[in-house]
Every structure is written in C-alpha cells, then in structure tokens.
Amino acid sequence: MPKTTKKKNQSTTRPHVPYVRGFHPPTAEKCLEAIGSTPRLDKAYTPSDSFFPPLPHPTSIDDWLAQYKESGQTYKLFLEECPWLSRRKRKYSKAAFNSSGKTLQEKYPDAKIYLLPLGEFDGVSTPRFSDLAEYAHRFFCLSVEILPPVKLTTVGKSVFWEETDDGRSRISKGKAVRRSARPSKYELESRFNATTGHTQLKVESILRKLRLNIPDDAICVMALTMADLFDTPPDLFVAGMAAGNQRVGVFSFCRYDPTLQFSSEFWYEIFQASSVGAEERKRLILQRSCKLLVHEIAHLLGVDHCIWYSCCMNGSGHLLEDFRQSMHLCPVDLRKLQTLCGFDVVARYRSLVEFFERHGLSEEGDWVRRRVAYLTEKKQ
C-alpha cells in the first residue's frame, strides 16, 4: 500500500523542465513488461498511442516528476503487494472472508466502499454526492454506500465534527447496533485567518476520527468535504490524505471550483476568477472531483502512482497538473483493477459512457466509446 500522501499547489511553468534526478521515463519495452506478458495478451491491455499517450514530460519545476522519483508498480508487483488479493484475511478487517476467492468480491463478498459526506454538499457549488458514489461504483464495479452525513459546525474560531444518524443502526461484528439520535460533537484541529475569515481543517484530526468509525464490512472509508484542508503549518493546502493501513482517507474539493482563484503565497487568500457559465462550472467540478475520488480509492486498494503512460493514476504536484490529467486507466492499471475487482472490461466501459453522456463529459465519453468500438470490432 502507498504511504500516507498529500498534494500541494505550486506551479511555475518553464520550458524544457527536466525530470527529477535519477528518474528516467520508461521505454516501450519496459511498459510492456509492466503490463505483464502472457502467451496471448488480452486486447484490452494492448498499448496503443491512439488511446494511451506516453507519460507526460514535466512543464513546470513543480510538476510531479520534476520533484519526485518514483520506481513504478508493475502488474506483477501489484499481485505480490496487494493485501486484498492475499490468501490471508486483511489485517483489522472484520468482514466475512473466503480465502479461496480470486477477486476482492469473492474474498470479501459483503465488503463495500463507504463514502462519508463531511459538511454540506448542495449540488450547485459542489458535486452531488450521489453522483460521486455512482461514479465510484461504475469505475470499480464494487458496492459503494453513502454513510450518514457529518455536520461541520463553527463556534467562534473552532470547528466541530457533529454526527447523528437519526437513530439508524450500524453493523458491528455481524450484528445491527442501534445508535443514539443525540448528536455527538468532536472538535477538529483547525486554523483561522481573521482578515479573510478563511478556515482550514487539519487532516490528521479527521483521520483520527475516521479510524474510530470504520464499519465492519468496509473496504475503506473515504470522507469527502468542501472544507479546505492542511497538514503542517507551511502548507498552502493539501487536497487530502489517505492512511492505507487504516483503510481511511479524507479529501477536499474546495479548490476544484473554476470560479475561484487561490493565492500561491498565502493559504487564506481566495479571489474570484474569470466568469464561468453555470453548466460549465458544474461539469468541471464533477469531472475534477470524480477523478480525484477514484485515484485515491485506487491507492487504498493497493494501486500505486503510474509512471508508464498518461493515466488517472499519475501523480500531481499542483492543481493545474491535476486538472489536465486523464480520467482513464492505462493498460497496466486497468489490468490491476480488473484482476482485483473481476469486472468485464467492455461492460465497465459501457457503464462509464452512460455516466459521461448524462453529465455532459463529452470528451471522456468519446474516448470510452472509441475504446468499446475497438474492443468489440470483428476481425476481417
């Protein structure tokens, strides 16, 4: 599993930016080796420049591979490392386990990905939470469930995690346990700027709370919020943080709104950006949020950053790099997730087309339609 990670926002564009010392982009032969050779490699995993462009070269000194040297995770290495494919039950998991199963669903037949709304999601300046859950389900072909929302209440400079599930039950050790409808409050660590009134929440205080509230049948619990986040005092912000061994993560969409512009010097300065139409704003927020969500869930499933092709599992060093990255999996990571989740590749693509078309994500939909046509065409 990847170590605890965070993303920051800095970008200084320069021509001919070199890779970080010691990193060398993979050759075509190395990429094929990463996919994993078989006597007859499935067409779905055959590399093609028309679908899978090469790894992007850094254009900024703050780009991911201008700062970080990564060795890459091959398909073979994923099979060796992924704890969800082990014949031994995952540590700390209380879900029913079948050691003879081949996929995650066969090994943990009742397991689910849980998404937790942390604060308000109005569906206007934020993505609709149901859309996020639906996209995660279509992307991984695993069960996804939305947990009862947690309120973020502010009292003076303090921010509180306030939860109530209206008396609904949670699952513990295979039994339904009734919970009190009385709200429970927990103060989160935060920082506040009096001049702008902007607040950021410290990620570790949220992760600490999440670790105490993992359902027994959880693959992972991902808290999603529109609140701004930070990790250490020097940070401008962090998009979030995942603690893989504890199966929890928290991520923010606060800085994904195209109508906002953020200072590159002070964490608390936010400005209005150029005008963006309501539909375009909604489309961009959803596209950016969905991409971040599945990238981080994939990390919790054991998939590391991709150095093989342009891929939604590429790392990013700042927001602009994040925004321009692909929403799609390269052949290496598609094969990893297919092995783990057991989905039919073409059926998954067709499901994603429906989502993209319904939400006006035409570029993404066109790419997937071309993939379906390519994979289903009959040989002459």
Side-chain angles (χ1 to χ4, degrees), residues 140-187:
F140 294 105
C141 303
L142 297 172
S143 296
V144 178
E145 188 167 316
I146 300 174
L147 289 168
V150 169
K151 292 182 180 180
L152 292 177
T153 56
T154 302
V155 180
K157 298 179 182 180
S158 300
V159 181
F160 292 87
W161 165 303
E162 185 175 338
E163 62 183 39
T164 173
D165 58 6
D166 300 322
R168 282 179 280 185
S169 62
R170 62 180 173 87
I171 302 299
S172 178
K173 296 182 181 178
K175 300 179 181 179
V177 178
R178 197 72 171 173
R179 299 184 67 179
S180 169
R182 296 174 59 187
S184 172
K185 277 191 176 183
Y186 166 81
E187 184 174 357

Side-chain angles (χ1 to χ4, degrees), residues 19 60 68 95 98 134 138 150 155 162 180 195 233 241 259 270 331 343 346 358 362 372 379-380:
Y19 289 106
S60 162
Y68 304 105
N98 173 19
E134 180 188 351
R138 289 174 183 262
V150 169
V155 180
E162 185 175 338
S180 169
T195 302
M241 186 176 287
T259 66
I270 304 173
F343 51 69
V346 172
R358 179 155 32 94
S362 57
V372 171
K379 294 184 179 179
Q380 299 297 324

